[in-house]
Amino acid sequence: MSKKFTLVLVVAILLLSVAPSLSAQNQPLKIGFLPGVVDPFYQVMQLGVEAAVRDMGVEVVIQIPPTWGVEVQTPILDAMVARGDLDYIIIAPTDKDQMVGPLQAAVDAGIGIITVDTFLGDGDYVNGPVTFPISYIGSDNVEGGRIAARALAEAIGGEGKVYINSTNPNVSSVEGREQGFAAVMAEDYPNITVLGPDYNLDDMNTSTQQTTAVLETNPDLRGVFGTNVFSAQGAGTAVVNAGLSGEVQVVAYDATQFAIEMLRAGTVTMVLAQKPFDMGYMAVQFAVADAAGVTSLPARVETGFAIITQDNVDEPEIARFIYQVP
Ligand code: T6T
């Protein structure tokens, strides 16, 4: 092959690889991103979305609900649909049932839906009650709850009373964590009693108040599981405020800087990091692939965890999963 032809071929390949992904109307693909709430987990997810948007030459419209709930998320979703220029919406549904209708309307308007972090229905988009989303990209939260339960059970010597502090009912992510946690305790630790869950509606102060009340009424409490950012931060704060740091063990879901500080201080015994950057990046990839005509996208992608302890928190391959937000 002549050198000139090789050079032309290489340049052509490079140009094709950076060509913007186009919609059916031959316009740059435009994607909406609508997470659950403003928090470090979704901020890291947004970094993943933005990195993929840059890499794949697409456009994104980002809107983040100030607080959690269908009454906040639905109007934002409806406004995104009403724009009429979005090809896909990447969303973390704030209720696995109540968000089905509004998202079905988005699909009826010709918008592809990819759910991240939380799912609709039972999460089975092939054979379940809800099948219109392209995919669910997120954690296996039942397994996450099981990991948390084993860590807490080990930290308290396999016996005693523990408490779950969580955010909202009917949210697939924390619901799975609660289920996995309770299942391991029931199956493998007959001498551990589980209190809760109490729901803090994603408010850290409420979580602190709830956990404080449980500590006061249960002086024999040995451990607490906070099922997400604000639950873990609130529960850990309550344990510290009660002067019980290191005595009442805390397992934290989500690797915020706050959780890591509590880990280093000995208040938290294990932090379970999710991979929100991966969720965001892959969701954009899936939208681009679907627009290009790919038909073999998996309906479920589980992005895994990093288990963070005092022993490994400074190891670069672990520390990289701490939620670093700008
Ligand atoms: O734990 C994450 C997320 O996985 C969950 O669905 C809701 O809470 C967080 O956003 C953390 O606040």
Side-chain angles (χ1 to χ4, degrees):
M1 188 183 303
S2 72
K3 285 187 178 179
K4 184 178 179 182
F5 179 77
T6 303
L7 177 62
V8 168
L9 183 62
V10 168
V11 170
I13 290 170
L14 285 173
L15 284 174
L16 281 173
S17 67
V18 297
S21 301
L22 301 178
S23 68
Q25 296 72 30
N26 214 28
Q27 297 298 318
L29 210 61
K30 192 173 282 189
I31 300 168
F33 175 52
L34 177 49
V37 73
V38 176
D39 78 10
F41 170 84
Y42 288 121
Q43 286 169 318
V44 173
M45 184 184 287
Q46 180 174 334
L47 294 177
V49 166
E50 291 170 339
V53 162
R54 286 192 302 271
D55 293 349
M56 312 197 85
V58 299
E59 295 180 25
V60 68
V61 174
I62 299 173
Q63 290 198 278
I64 305 176
T67 55
W68 185 281
V70 299
E71 70 285 354
V72 182
Q73 192 177 48
T74 301
I76 297 174
L77 172 64
D78 293 346
M80 279 190 168
V81 174
R83 290 172 57 103
D85 64 347
L86 295 180
D87 302 293
Y88 294 88
I89 292 175
I90 297 168
I91 184 170
T94 51
D95 186 291
K96 64 183 184 177
D97 300 314
Q98 294 185 64
M99 290 306 293
V100 173
L103 284 165
Q104 178 67 68
V107 171
D108 295 344
I111 298 172
I113 298 300
I114 295 162
T115 65
V116 285
D117 175 50
T118 61
F119 55 65
L120 297 172
D122 66 357
D124 179 352
Y125 293 158
V126 177
N127 299 307
V130 178
T131 57
F132 61 74
I134 295 165
S135 188
Y136 160 75
I137 302 174
S139 297
D140 174 351
N141 285 296
V142 174
E143 179 57 21
R146 297 177 70 86
I147 293 170
R150 288 191 284 267
L152 192 55
E154 183 179 334
I156 67 172
E159 60 182 16
K161 200 180 284 184
V162 299
Y163 165 63
I164 302 179
N165 190 260
S166 195
T167 58
N168 299 277
N170 230 44
V171 175
S172 67
S173 52
V174 294
E175 188 176 78
R177 297 165 199 174
E178 294 158 21
Q179 290 170 353
F181 184 91
V184 163
M185 293 309 193
E187 292 161 8
D188 302 337
Y189 296 97
N191 297 324
I192 291 181
T193 303
V194 179
L195 306 178
D198 286 328
Y199 293 110
N200 58 57
L201 306 187
D202 226 20
D203 181 279
M204 180 176 154
N205 293 328
T206 304
S207 170
T208 300
Q209 291 160 10
Q210 291 169 329
T211 307
T212 298
V214 171
L215 286 166
E216 287 171 351
T217 53
N218 297 272
D220 56 343
L221 192 75
R222 302 287 314 284
V224 183
F225 171 37
T227 68
N228 87 320
V229 164
F230 296 125
S231 309
Q233 293 180 180
T237 299
V239 168
V240 171
N241 291 348
L244 295 170
S245 178
E247 293 178 45
V248 175
Q249 303 298 323
V250 179
V251 165
Y253 216 103
D254 285 319
T256 61
Q257 295 285 9
F258 193 124
I260 297 300
E261 286 163 15
M262 289 196 289
L263 177 74
R264 293 185 187 279
T267 303
V268 166
T269 187
M270 188 273 278
V271 174
L272 192 60
Q274 302 187 75
K275 299 184 179 179
F277 183 95
D278 295 15
M279 297 175 198
Y281 195 98
M282 293 175 72
V284 173
Q285 287 181 309
F286 272 39
V288 169
D290 183 75
V294 172
T295 60
S296 54
L297 292 171
R300 180 181 177 92
V301 176
E302 294 174 354
T303 45
F305 301 101
I307 296 176
I308 306 178
T309 65
Q310 282 192 346
D311 296 335
N312 68 10
V313 64
D314 292 316
E315 295 170 13
E317 66 273 16
I318 294 292
R320 64 180 291 215
F321 293 109
I322 297 170
Y323 304 170
Q324 308 282 1
V325 293

